[in-house]
Amino acid sequence: MSNEKIEAGLAKYNANVEKAIAKFPERGHLPEQRLYTPLDIAGENYAEEIGFPGMYPYTRGVQPTMYRGRFWTMRMYAGFSTAEESNKRYRYLIESGATGLSCAFDLPTQIGYDSTDAISEGEVGKVGVAIDSLADMEILFDQIDLGKVSTSMTINAPASVLLAMYIAVAEKQGVPSTELKGTIQNDILKEYAARGTYIFPPRPSMRLITNIFEYCSKNVPKWNTISISGYHIREAGSTASQEIAFTIADGIAYVEAAIKAGLNVDDFAGRLSFFWNAHNNVLEEVAKFRASRRVWAKVMKERFHAEKPKSQMLRVHTQTAGSMLTAQQPNNNIVRVALQTAAAVMGGTQSLHTNSRDEALALPTEESVMIALRTQQIVAYESGLADVIDPLAGSYYVEAMTDRIEKEAWDYIKKIDEMGGAVAAIEKGYIQKEIQDSAYKWQMDVENGARTIVGVNKFHIDEEPPKGLLKVDASVGEKQKAKVEAMKAKRDNEAVKNALADLKTACADENENLMPHILAAVKTYATLGEICGVMREVFGEYEAHVNL
Amino acid sequence: MIFCCRRPIFHKEGDCVDIAKELLAGNRLALSRAITAIENEYDDAAEIMKKIYPHTGRAYVLGITGPPGAGKSTLTDRLAHEYRKQGKTVGIIAVDPTSPFTGGAILGDRIRMNSLTLDEGVFIRSMGTRGSLGGLSHKTADAVKAMDAFGKDIIIVETVGVGQSEVDIVKAADTTMVVLIPGMGDDIQAIKAGILEIGDLFTINKSDLDGADKLVREINMMLDLDTFMTDWRPPIVKVVASRGDGIEELTEKVRTHREYIEGNGELNKRRTKRARDEMMDILNSRIGNYVKKKIVDTGRLDDLVNKMLNRETDPYTVAEELVGEMLKV
Amino acid sequence: MDKKIRVLVAKPGLDGHDRGAKVVARALRDAGFEVIYTGLRQTPEQIAEAALQEDVNVVAMSILSGAHPHLFPKVVNLVREKGMTDVLIIGGGVIPEGDIPALKEAGIAEVFTPGTPTSEVVKFINEHVKA
């Protein structure tokens, strides 16, 4: 059909719509246009902008075979209480068919405090497992073959320390570091902007990150050294476009820092990975995944002149949106998670964590985690969504939306560039403010009914409080404290002192890679708090920028 | 005498306490409630002020102003730490704008000063501008007095230098510091007219950024043009507040300015003028309130206005009659 | 007279999820309150002392990490110890229904769980506090 014919058809259709609306008004006002036609993607250059899976600009996916080769990694984020308890949960997940581990650490661990620190009171073992020293890490991976499993660790400010502990445990198991597979999140910029578990100011934090890039490129080559995360930016309330725009701006900052530190872009860029949120609006999410791959490929090729295809590929781990889970009628969350899973899969994710129905209320029970994992398996094996690569390509709507999100992302990236990059934009509070504005708008839309959340502001029922929630044993803190004290009494404290002194000297020398020093300290059973304490002394601490 | 404070609590043994007495005895909650009484214009505020007034005039007041984003709160935090190191107690009043649309405000300066919260030698109070035009500087001045009477050695008043009322607040300080940062481009032109002329000293914060030296040159040029200049030429101090760089020097410069105005009688002149202005303000506001009570609240004003509209009388005649009647002149 | 209700919005504990706290802070501002926002990682001692210095009418806290059974009551006790027996203390976050009675027993006036409209928080404050 020629464009003229389509235009004529569309005009006729629009006239009909006017008549119809006059009789039966439509429900509310929606931001998207009513109908998409070939006219909406008339200017699309298929060969250059969409292309083929495994080929630049990777709009349709990063591998040539995608899920026809193998499914995404079904990776369930877990960890709570003590290392012993979490180790049990990991082994249960592996037996249930999970193909990768994902460690959640408690907040003291994420912020570099020992369980014995006064500030840790009430937090030990709550949102993840408490790791104070190598001794805990040995228990956490007891009877788990680190040569086989791939492990993702949600750890940022002290990522270097946890990675060092992982390497040390593997060494004890007889697994060389060159064989280790996994990811550390290691994305400090989004901590400043959205997630809040930062320790040091931006400059030393960026140094730690580039130290890790450099160390791993030589010693842990299969390790994903960073997971540049939009997930938490979205959780903090951003839109889909903001999620990928701010995250890719962060990615640009990391690449620039590494290049400035003297690394060759193709030596480390292939180990960069991303982390997206799978939100409620299925088609918008699919478009977001597609747009993000295209933007990153262009950034890497055109801006950084990366030559290796792997350096240009945006490989992504995904988690379904925690903030979209409702405390009301929690079983409805199973359905939400299924739709979000469908979005992530049609978007072409490399790995996926699905949230459990009860997570707006507490940490998930084993039963809830099983349903969440089964959701992924049903989508993989039964739904047919994984049978064809990038099945929504060519949809007028999805292609137009992919273009729209890409454009919005470029606009933000340009603006952030003008401010001097992501670090400067965060220090000015710009990114935080944009996210907060979106979060506030969302909340007001829910409150004034412009946005419906089933079971919350519509279809509400009176219900009994849910039973059988997981409760973290309140004595975990005391137990963990006792463990740390006992460990400290046993270790060679002189060796610890020396290792920490050596680390301190290294911290003060900007040209020194800190990884070997941290690894040496970890092996003496120096605690996470002791190691981060030394770094705090030299580096200082970040002060948040709040601009409400 | 017993002052009943706004909330029926802050009781001791079933009775309302004497806030002024408790404040003077070093009770932190009494200081806090006294400031609330001032801010909210509670009836007992005047009684509190009467009692504490004899104990004021001992603190040195440092005003800090500058455009949004200049890092004033961080600077205030570092200055407070420095003064604490020097053995001085510190009071901080941080003023943030009230939204003209909702009447609410987010007072976020404290977040930069969290490390001072548990220091008993420091007391931080956030205030919203609350849309009052003249009233704000009056309230801030009274809050300063409350902290002064409480025994703080140094009182730092921090406010955004945008509106006239905010500028008035810092004018009430013994030493006024204007904080600027590099890279504000043409903004400095706009600021120049407003707050540059009130600075007893200039602080260039974030001076590790490009453009710091250019900014120093620009301020120097403006100071060169200032024909009202006394023999005090405001020093320009470069600092990086976030790292604590230059803070000691800054307190040194404040001390120099203090010695200068103490030595040449300028401090006395400033304080005399301030006392006079304050007196007039209070008098005007009392008279205004009296007039409101007699003329406005009784509906008499509306009658008179109607007469004026009908050209039966004119505002000048009415004013003369009213003043004569009320003040018996 | 220009009276305002003053609210301290604080995040005790270590979790960095401040979306809720910030949305509530803004909603309270838009409802005409003066909001003192203290940011992340505040200890109960810091929160109580800030409440005193700011003479707030309300302390509103948010915790998503599960540390509420420990931290909320501690704040209540410290605030009361400082003589502020008239301050309304409320909490929110990921808080299981089962924990709420104990928190109320400890002096938390109301607990707002996920999905609560901000207007309800505003209403609650207006019903229980006078400037």
Side-chain angles (χ1 to χ4, degrees), chain A residues 265-284:
Chain A
V265 67
D266 278 315
D267 285 347
F268 68 87
R271 298 313 321 171
L272 307 179
S273 62
F274 284 80
F275 180 16
W276 292 152
N277 193 305
H279 218 261
N280 282 7
N281 186 328
V282 177
L283 297 177
E284 185 180 44

Side-chain angles (χ1 to χ4, degrees), chain A residues 142-157:
Chain A
D142 184 39
Q143 299 174 59
I144 297 170
D145 184 350
L146 299 190
K148 287 203 181 118
V149 76
S150 110
T151 305
S152 165
M153 292 191 268
T154 299
I155 194 77
N156 293 279

